[in-house]
Amino acid sequence: MAQNDRDDPLAYGDYHERGVEGEGGDDYEGGERGFIGDTYRRYRSKYKPQQEQTQSVPPNGGPQQSGGLGSSLFNAIHGAVHEIGSEINQRLSGRERPHSSSGQPGTGVGAMATPQNRFESFAVQRYGNDAKWYVDGCGYMWAVSIAIEQARESIWILDWWLSPELYLRRPPSRNEQYRVDRMLQAAAQRGVKVNIIVYKEVTQALTRKYLTPTLPRYLHSLLPHHTDPITKALSGFGLAATFAALEHVEAQNPLMAPILTVSSSHTKHHLEDLHPNISVFRHPDHLPDAQTLQSSFISSLQNLSLSAKTASSLPADALKAIYGMNNDVILYWAHHEKLCLIDGKTAFMGGLDLCFGRWDTNQHPIADAHPSDLNNIVFPGQDFNNARIADFQDVAHPDNNKLDRKTSSRMGWSDISISLHGPVVEDLKEHFAQRWNFIYNEKYDVRKDTRYSRITLNAQIPGALPQQNISAIAPENRPYQAQPYGQSSSSVGQQPQPYQAPAPGSGSNPYQTNMQPQQPYNQQGYSQSGETNQQYGQAGGPQYGQPSQAYGGRVSPMPGTGQASGPYFQPPPSSSRGIDEEYEGGSRGLSFGGHNHPRLEEEARDLRGRFESKFERVEQRYGQHQSQHHSSPQTGGMPCQIVRSCTKWSHGVPTEHSIQNAYCDIIRNSQHFVYIENQFFITATSDKQKPVKNMIGAAIVERILRAARAGEKYKMIVVMPAVPAFAGDLKDDASLGTRAIMEFQYNSINRGGYSIMETIGNAGFDPTEYIRFYNLRNYDRINASAAMSEAQRVSGVDYEDARRQYDAAVELPSDLYGSGDRSGTYSSNQYQPYQQAATNISSRQGLGNGRWDSVSECYMLGGADIRSVPWENGELDELDAFVSEELYVHSKVLIADDRTVICGSANLNDRSQLGDHDSEIAIIIEDPTPLDSTLNGRPFRASKFASTLRRQLFRKHLGLIPAQDMSRPSPNFEPVGSGGNVYDFGSAEDRLVEDPLSDQFLALWNSTARTNTTVFGQVFHPVPHDDVRTWKDYDTFYEHFFHEADAEALSSKSPAGAENEGGEGEGGTERGIKKKQPAKYKWGHVVAENFSPGAQGAREVKELLSRVKGTLVEMPLLFLIKEDIAKEGVGLNAFTEEVYT
């Protein structure tokens, strides 16, 4: 990133080879600078006598003369403070020092990362699992609601944010019992123990309350014992002045104004007030309370793992840097996992938090105005959110939403999550228990509150050999070695291992390819016959949901815990048994007469390994030919492995970054293609791309260059958001963080000299032949038509007033839920008159009966042609009713070769991948269930789980699936174990996406993205856009239409003054008074001047929009390519760079 000329050099001090000279020529030894010295220099330059500032260097080069008493005083203070700074500098070392494994004495937290495990994860690969994917929040949250409703023992939730008032089923008016708080309250009343961990956001101010006077006293105590009294006094005065200045800074610009608008306090107290069985932990504590400060702050400061060079140049940033990087007091890093465990048997994980803004359907409607019936509202209160317009505010009052539904759109949310059964759930249970006990030991043990207690586990984990004995087992017999990906980070650079197919046998396929007639579903989503749906599940045998006997295998329980076991789900059954036996009597292996024979088991494993090796050689010789007779592997389920990012602050363990290891290894070992969907894309190809440290980009470059040099057809497709979901105009100073992230992303992709595309290009190959980047965008139409005008006229009530009152009723506290009659919940007489009038309006071609409250179906399979959708002008003309917004990609998924899936909470950036920043969890799934497919025009054996997930995503983005009906649950709305994912194999749309390397598919994908991009650019002028290469272009393409301009002292002779002429209160401006001119168009609306006026213009827009299919658009890689994106406005500093990457 180019350095802003206005930036203090310290902002980049972490990367300078030489020391940076400070103001006045003072610099720390070795180029090191600390916040005390820098603060002093700034205030000295402000207050020192003017003659000293203008004094020139004597011709002989001798020392300058003293600037007087003031200067001497400041120099004396600075000398003392400098000595303190040097002492602190010696203590601020060891940024990369290893963390303690236990966090605190006596608080051991269980399994930790180990080099013996694949990807150096804390967990081994587990066999015998079942998994189910969910694309978007509608089906996923329905499945979660089923699981919570059926919970009988425990519910464990780990979320970045949890909204108690979130509805898991929609619309809310017909699903009031399925609000999160009501479901958890009902579970607690049944005797279910509910344990929840949420990220504790930054909310408090820092300097006055927490640092003064403790920190200056401590710094003063560092002076050497031989320091003379005058110097001690002067240094004390200097420290007092420094912190007084810091308090002044805070008064002007609070050091710790809330960064996020979530409210973990509301989550905790709202839920805990419902029932004693609900316990909520918030973590981390960014600032110590007064008691903790007095007892431990000094030792915390002594153990800071921070280089003095990383302190930024301003006092506020310096303190943020210290608190952000300290192991014991965390400012900016977050708990980012999304995990829900029901009764220790069923797990839900992925990218979706149970919070506002996440629920969505596959077509992603962004309009939610329902003039004919307020009960059809889908996104009540703050759940109707557009983070690009305004972030969440006052979430403790969920009905308080200031977005006008008559003119504003929401932002769609594209995401992926999964549910799991089987042995791998035990690793997720252990991860949650480790986190819970770590926080309990850190915060709650001393409180002796009976609501809180440690979690004890006695995990009898199946599907893996005992972890303590893994090193003694021959590599070919280790469970994870038989899989295609498995090199740990220490093996990077070794010859990639080819995909190893499962061995043939006589077991049946645990998934049924043939589609069966769908049975009707009752309210819980299960067939009325009481049987689980088998369209994509087991043909017979024991069903999931029945507790089995204890599994074989064992991991060590957490230190200091008791012994308690829980029931587990069986793996999918096979129709026959061969060498590999199912679990019987709690063990796996050969069993005769009810007795297990370990020796025969070992011989069988050895035989199996040799057989698989021989089969692999035959397969490699004769090609990957799939036969219908190939069976699933020995356990009848999916091999899965949990990987994570965590460290001492987040989990009380040494740093683990097994997610990054898995990404790098799987990319390097991929054979044909990699598909990535992720919220961010910030990575490095080498150590020259500081401050970015994760090396996923290097793995991408290595694999692509290997394919290019070998002449192989290899593709990588990346789908990511166009703009990070932060509010504000990109040109505003307030959008520095957004622009910084965008610049880091572009520097990872195609700019800065070391990006992925530049590195490939420098090697002599066209990078676009191997890797391309895409975004998502969609449109809708707000039904502010004549139907709304009629309802308002008859009722005398504005739609928004009635809607707000409806939201307040829907977001009733849980203790008021269940009264049945809602009429008494409305504080004023607005909802009822409007609702009564709305039910009596005419249908108006579907505008008055709810048919056309959204037109998002029009770009999906089987949807109406937008050109045929009717309209009657009312509150808005049709041209003004169309809206568009980026479809926010929040997924965190990688799919390699249609065989391997990584899915979880981890973004592709340093915050998620390094391990010592945000905490994350992910799963690697390698489903051995074979699927006949094609790749590059040749027969190919794919994995059913990976291939169906990839095809579903591709079809959704291309508009090749129907619009999703939220009120008609399918088997894809159910938890795992109730039937697998339903997918229409062999349909015309499926064949279009089956082969991701075929020329036909690539032409469809790229032409769709190009057409959609062109249409959105013509109709809505969205940014970023490839036509915008400079800030001047930005003004012409975007600001001219959408930015509110300042009008200062407009002359009546100027065109602007003439256009806005009028009296006070009528939009006019008095001379000399600054006032804002309204933007020509509201955010996301049609640039109407590009079209004919009136109905003709609407027809022209609809003609263009009829060409839009799906939501796929090209990523504008030329956006602001001639500018330093983050340079405009406030400069970055070393610490904020860490935050943004």
Side-chain angles (χ1 to χ4, degrees):
M1 181 184 300
Q3 180 174 331
N4 190 329
D5 293 336
R6 297 187 298 274
D7 289 347
D8 189 293
L10 182 60
Y12 305 89
D14 217 2
Y15 316 114
H16 284 323
E17 301 260 335
R18 301 187 305 272
V20 179
E21 191 171 340
E23 293 182 39
D26 297 311
D27 53 322
Y28 281 129
E29 299 168 358
E32 298 269 344
R33 296 169 58 183
F35 72 90
I36 297 295
D38 284 297
T39 301
Y40 162 74
R41 274 192 286 273
R42 289 184 178 273
Y43 283 89
R44 184 184 67 174
S45 64
K46 181 176 180 180
Y47 295 113
K48 67 182 178 180
Q50 181 67 27
Q51 64 269 24
E52 181 183 357
Q53 297 183 29
T54 58
Q55 194 171 24
S56 62
V57 178
N60 61 1
Q64 297 184 19
Q65 298 299 314
S66 171
L69 178 61
S71 178
S72 299
L73 178 62
F74 270 102
N75 286 336
I77 295 173
H78 178 257
V81 173
H82 178 91
E83 189 170 0
I84 297 174
S86 298
E87 175 71 15
I88 294 175
N89 182 35
Q90 295 175 17
R91 297 177 182 234
L92 301 183
S93 58
R95 170 73 181 274
E96 300 298 333
R97 64 183 173 86
H99 297 289
S100 168
S101 61
S102 60
Q104 297 178 18
T107 62
V109 292
M112 297 178 290
T114 173
Q116 285 77 26
N117 291 345
R118 187 173 68 155
F119 309 126
E120 300 185 14
S121 172
F122 79 107
V124 300
Q125 192 178 36
R126 309 283 181 197
Y127 293 84
N129 304 287
D130 195 9
K132 188 171 185 175
W133 49 255
Y134 305 88
V135 175
D136 299 318
C138 177
Y140 173 73
M141 293 188 186
W142 190 293
V144 171
S145 74
I146 293 175
I148 292 177
E149 197 169 43
Q150 297 180 350
R152 292 297 177 264
E153 298 175 4
S154 63
I155 298 172
W156 296 352
I157 299 174
L158 174 56
D159 262 350
W160 177 77
W161 180 25
L162 186 147
S163 301
E165 302 83 5
L166 175 75
Y167 283 87
L168 299 178
R169 301 187 189 183
R170 309 293 169 101
S173 63
R174 293 189 279 278
N175 292 283
E176 294 187 7
Q177 70 271 36
Y178 293 107
R179 205 172 79 169
V180 168
D181 54 355
R182 293 166 186 165
M183 296 202 75
L184 294 180
Q185 182 181 35
Q189 290 169 347
R190 295 194 303 268
V192 176
K193 185 66 178 76
V194 180
N195 292 42
I196 299 171
I197 303 172
V198 291
Y199 163 61
K200 183 178 180 180
E201 74 284 3
V202 178
T203 60
Q204 299 165 292
L206 173 61
T207 304
R208 290 190 301 268
K209 183 175 180 181
Y210 290 99
L211 295 184
T212 306
T214 302
L215 181 56
R217 287 175 181 170
Y218 170 69
L219 295 175
H220 191 260
S221 72
L222 296 179
L223 284 173
H225 295 296
H226 61 268
T227 305
D228 63 274
I230 295 178
T231 302
K232 285 185 176 181
L234 290 175
S235 64
F237 170 76
L239 288 168
T242 297
F243 279 85
L246 292 175
E247 293 183 12
H248 176 73
V249 170
E250 182 189 324
Q252 300 299 318
N253 181 23
L255 287 175
M256 293 188 60
I259 300 168
L260 299 171
T261 52
V262 302
S263 177
S264 61
S265 176
H266 170 67
T267 300
K268 177 181 176 67
H269 297 295
H270 179 91
L271 293 178
E272 288 191 342
D273 288 346
L274 298 177
H275 198 277
N277 277 352
I278 301 176
S279 303
V280 182
F281 283 178
R282 300 193 298 150
H283 191 263
D285 283 334
H286 306 281
L287 299 173
D289 56 30
Q291 182 179 3
T292 304
L293 180 66
Q294 296 300 324
S295 63
S296 65
F297 183 79
I298 301 306
S299 61
S300 297
L301 183 63
Q302 290 174 331
N303 292 323
L304 281 173
S305 57
L306 171 71
S307 168
K309 291 187 294 185
T310 61
S312 40
S313 56
L314 295 175
D317 288 333
L319 291 175
K320 287 181 181 180
I322 288 180
Y323 268 75
M325 305 305 294
N326 184 3
N327 287 333
D328 301 313
V329 185
I330 306 303
L331 178 57
Y332 285 111
W333 313 138
H335 290 303
H336 197 242
E337 298 100 322
K338 299 92 171 62
L339 177 63
C340 179
L341 293 157
I342 307 296
D343 290 339
K345 305 172 185 177
T346 303
F348 297 89
M349 63 177 295
L352 282 159
D353 292 284
L354 298 180
C355 68
F356 290 145
R358 273 44 170 182
W359 189 97
D360 212 341
T361 58
N362 292 158
Q363 66 271 27
H364 305 285
I366 57 176
D368 195 31
H370 303 272
S372 63
D373 188 356
L374 291 168
N375 288 320
N376 290 333
I377 288 175
V378 179
F379 303 95
Q382 300 224 25
D383 206 27
F384 185 88
N385 174 258
N386 189 331
R388 291 292 298 129
I389 298 177
D391 207 346
F392 294 100
Q393 297 178 3
D394 190 23
V395 295
H397 298 89
D399 60 313
N400 184 16
N401 189 335
K402 296 180 173 58
L403 278 181
D404 189 336
R405 310 284 180 99
K406 292 161 59 174
T407 58
S408 299
S409 74
R410 60 180 287 270
M411 183 174 67
W413 198 270
S414 184
D415 218 328
I416 302 166
S417 283
I418 56 177
S419 63
L420 299 159
H421 270 168
V424 75
V425 175
E426 294 303 315
D427 291 320
L428 293 171
K429 286 172 60 179
E430 182 172 16
H431 178 78
F432 184 93
Q434 288 176 3
R435 178 70 51 77
W436 181 271
N437 290 343
F438 168 66
I439 298 172
Y440 177 86
N441 293 334
E442 184 180 82
K443 292 183 60 176
Y444 293 93
D445 188 24
V446 297
R447 303 187 185 186
K448 305 303 180 185
D449 189 332
T450 57
R451 180 189 292 267
Y452 311 116
S453 61
R454 292 183 180 89
I455 292 175
T456 59
L457 291 177
N458 179 25
Q460 301 290 330
I461 301 182
L465 295 169
Q467 184 165 317
Q468 59 267 34
N469 297 327
I470 195 82
S471 60
I473 302 170
E476 62 270 19
N477 291 329
R478 294 180 190 171
Y480 61 86
Q481 294 289 349
Q483 298 303 317
Y485 308 109
Q487 295 175 329
S488 68
S489 59
S490 62
S491 63
V492 170
Q494 295 182 6
Q495 183 67 27
Q497 299 298 312
Y499 180 81
Q500 297 182 11
S506 57
S508 67
N509 188 334
Y511 294 93
Q512 299 300 317
T513 303
N514 297 329
M515 299 287 291
Q516 302 291 335
Q518 181 174 334
Q519 298 183 13
Y521 286 83
N522 59 23
Q523 195 171 17
Q524 282 71 39
Y526 289 99
S527 62
Q528 294 176 358
S529 66
E531 298 176 355
T532 54
N533 186 281
Q534 296 178 4
Q535 285 180 296
Y536 194 20
Q538 290 74 41
Q543 295 297 318
Y544 270 64
Q546 301 300 321
S548 70
Q549 299 182 26
Y551 286 100
R554 178 184 298 271
V555 296
S556 300
M558 296 174 59
T561 62
Q563 303 294 311
S565 60
Y568 304 100
F569 283 93
Q570 294 176 337
S574 298
S575 61
S576 62
R577 312 275 176 97
I579 293 177
D580 299 304
E581 291 294 309
E582 291 294 333
Y583 293 112
E584 291 187 11
S587 64
R588 192 193 81 199
L590 298 179
S591 178
F592 300 96
H595 299 283
N596 294 319
H597 297 269
R599 181 178 177 184
L600 293 178
E601 278 190 63
E602 187 65 32
E603 292 176 358
R605 282 195 295 267
D606 180 70
L607 178 61
R608 179 178 68 247
R610 286 185 280 134
F611 179 78
E612 289 176 345
S613 178
K614 290 181 179 181
F615 176 80
E616 193 67 33
R617 290 196 295 270
V618 172
E619 183 186 49
Q620 293 172 1
R621 179 176 179 182
Y622 293 104
Q624 293 178 328
H625 175 69
Q626 178 183 347
S627 167
Q628 292 294 339
H629 301 291
H630 288 167
S631 71
S632 56
Q634 63 269 22
T635 58
M638 303 180 193
C640 298
Q641 184 182 11
I642 302 300
V643 287
R644 65 186 183 182
S645 295
C646 58
T647 192
K648 181 182 177 182
W649 82 259
S650 60
H651 213 73
V653 298
T655 300
E656 177 179 339
H657 48 76
S658 52
I659 298 177
Q660 181 185 177
N661 295 345
Y663 264 79
C664 292
D665 192 87
I666 289 172
I667 289 170
R668 284 192 176 99
N669 289 335
S670 61
Q671 297 177 330
H672 306 286
F673 75 91
V674 168
Y675 175 67
I676 293 174
E677 266 192 38
N678 208 285
Q679 182 184 0
F680 295 100
F681 193 89
I682 299 176
T683 186
T685 62
S686 71
D687 57 6
K688 297 178 181 178
Q689 283 182 278
K690 292 180 179 179
V692 183
K693 300 178 183 67
N694 80 82
M695 288 296 159
I696 295 173
I700 291 172
V701 168
E702 177 187 321
R703 181 61 189 96
I704 289 176
L705 289 181
R706 195 166 73 241
R709 288 163 181 157
E712 300 170 353
K713 191 170 187 178
Y714 180 89
K715 299 290 181 181
M716 184 171 290
I717 295 174
V718 180
V719 173
M720 57 188 287
V723 184
F726 303 115
D729 187 332
L730 289 177
K731 201 172 184 181
D732 291 344
D733 282 350
S735 296
L736 166 67
T738 306
R739 295 199 311 273
I741 292 172
M742 293 178 70
E743 179 157 302
F744 282 122
Q745 292 189 149
Y746 279 122
N747 286 347
S748 300
I749 296 169
N750 71 328
R751 303 179 194 176
Y754 302 101
S755 66
I756 290 171
M757 287 189 161
E758 288 172 301
T759 304
I760 296 170
N762 291 338
F765 303 100
D766 180 0
T768 62
E769 287 295 313
Y770 300 94
I771 183 169
R772 292 199 177 191
F773 295 81
Y774 303 87
N775 306 141
L776 302 178
R777 174 168 285 275
N778 64 330
Y779 74 87
D780 210 336
R781 192 184 67 178
I782 301 172
N783 190 6
S785 65
M788 182 178 290
S789 296
E790 181 182 351
Q792 291 183 152
R793 177 182 57 80
V794 173
S795 66
V797 176
D798 183 80
Y799 175 84
E800 275 295 280
D801 292 337
R803 190 272 305 166
R804 279 189 286 268
Q805 197 172 81
Y806 166 87
D807 284 351
V810 168
E811 301 296 357
L812 279 172
S814 288
D815 56 356
L816 300 180
Y817 160 70
S819 59
D821 181 14
R822 237 197 229 157
S823 59
T825 65
Y826 301 103
S827 58
S828 60
N829 194 23
Q830 294 175 317
Y831 167 82
Q832 294 291 1
Y834 181 92
Q835 185 72 348
Q836 183 176 358
T839 57
N840 295 322
I841 64 175
S842 58
S843 66
R844 291 185 176 273
Q845 306 178 75
L847 296 167
N849 61 15
R851 173 67 181 90
W852 296 117
D853 288 350
S854 171
V855 298
S856 55
E857 70 173 63
C858 294
Y859 45 78
M860 304 300 288
L861 180 67
D865 188 325
I866 186 64
R867 293 171 293 187
S868 66
V869 177
W871 180 262
E872 296 178 13
N873 286 342
E875 295 299 291
L876 294 175
D877 294 341
E878 185 172 21
L879 200 63
D880 296 329
F882 281 105
V883 287
S884 177
E885 185 55 88
E886 75 166 317
L887 173 52
Y888 197 64
V889 179
H890 193 257
S891 318
K892 297 94 169 54
V893 69
L894 178 149
I895 303 173
D897 299 330
D898 269 2
R899 289 170 170 166
T900 302
V901 174
I902 306 177
C903 182
S905 66
N907 292 317
L908 208 162
N909 59 8
D910 277 1
R911 288 192 62 137
S912 290
Q913 298 289 337
L914 294 186
D916 57 358
H917 290 15
D918 292 352
S919 61
E920 308 283 3
I921 196 81
I923 188 170
I924 303 163
I925 300 175
E926 295 165 283
D927 178 17
T929 308
L931 176 65
D932 279 319
S933 187
T934 57
L935 196 62
N936 199 20
R938 300 175 181 176
F940 180 76
R941 181 169 58 194
S943 154
K944 181 167 287 186
F945 183 90
S947 186
T948 53
L949 174 58
R950 196 265 307 163
R951 295 184 195 190
Q952 182 78 1
L953 291 169
F954 279 19
R955 288 174 60 179
K956 189 189 84 158
H957 301 333
L958 293 169
L960 296 176
I961 59 173
Q964 195 172 29
D965 188 340
M966 72 187 81
S967 63
R968 299 183 62 186
S970 75
N972 289 345
F973 284 49
E974 298 177 356
V976 66
S978 303
N981 291 107
V982 173
Y983 185 82
D984 57 341
F985 293 103
S987 66
E989 293 76 28
D990 175 54
R991 289 194 296 269
L992 288 174
V993 300
E994 177 183 337
D995 185 349
L997 292 187
S998 71
D999 293 337
Q1000 179 188 21
F1001 164 76
L1002 293 171
L1004 172 66
W1005 182 267
N1006 288 317
S1007 64
T1008 301
R1010 164 48 48 186
T1011 299
N1012 292 350
T1013 302
T1014 301
V1015 170
F1016 284 123
Q1018 290 177 331
V1019 177
F1020 298 104
H1021 280 228
V1023 289
H1025 194 275
D1026 269 339
D1027 288 346
V1028 178
R1029 305 187 184 186
T1030 65
W1031 286 115
K1032 184 177 180 180
D1033 295 337
Y1034 185 89
D1035 292 339
T1036 303
F1037 185 84
Y1038 180 80
E1039 294 275 282
H1040 173 70
F1041 302 108
F1042 297 104
H1043 186 65
E1044 291 183 347
D1046 290 331
E1048 187 170 357
L1050 292 176
S1051 168
S1052 60
K1053 298 180 180 179
S1054 68
E1059 291 173 5
N1060 291 278
E1061 199 168 350
E1064 280 190 72
E1066 298 179 1
T1069 56
E1070 291 188 38
R1071 190 177 299 273
I1073 298 177
K1074 187 174 182 179
K1075 192 172 183 180
K1076 283 207 179 270
Q1077 290 179 302
K1080 286 188 175 183
Y1081 306 104
K1082 291 185 180 297
W1083 182 294
H1085 285 249
V1086 175
V1087 179
E1089 62 193 66
N1090 292 346
F1091 303 94
S1092 302
Q1096 176 59 31
R1099 284 191 290 271
E1100 293 168 5
V1101 166
K1102 291 165 88 170
E1103 184 66 35
L1104 285 171
L1105 292 178
S1106 69
R1107 299 166 55 193
V1108 172
K1109 304 299 179 186
T1111 59
L1112 187 70
V1113 294
E1114 296 174 326
M1115 182 167 181
L1117 297 183
L1118 300 179
F1119 178 66
L1120 292 179
I1121 196 168
K1122 297 181 180 180
E1123 302 281 359
D1124 183 346
I1125 299 178
K1127 184 176 180 179
E1128 287 290 324
V1130 182
L1132 294 175
N1133 61 58
F1135 178 66
T1136 52
E1137 285 181 346
E1138 291 259 0
V1139 174
Y1140 296 141
T1141 57

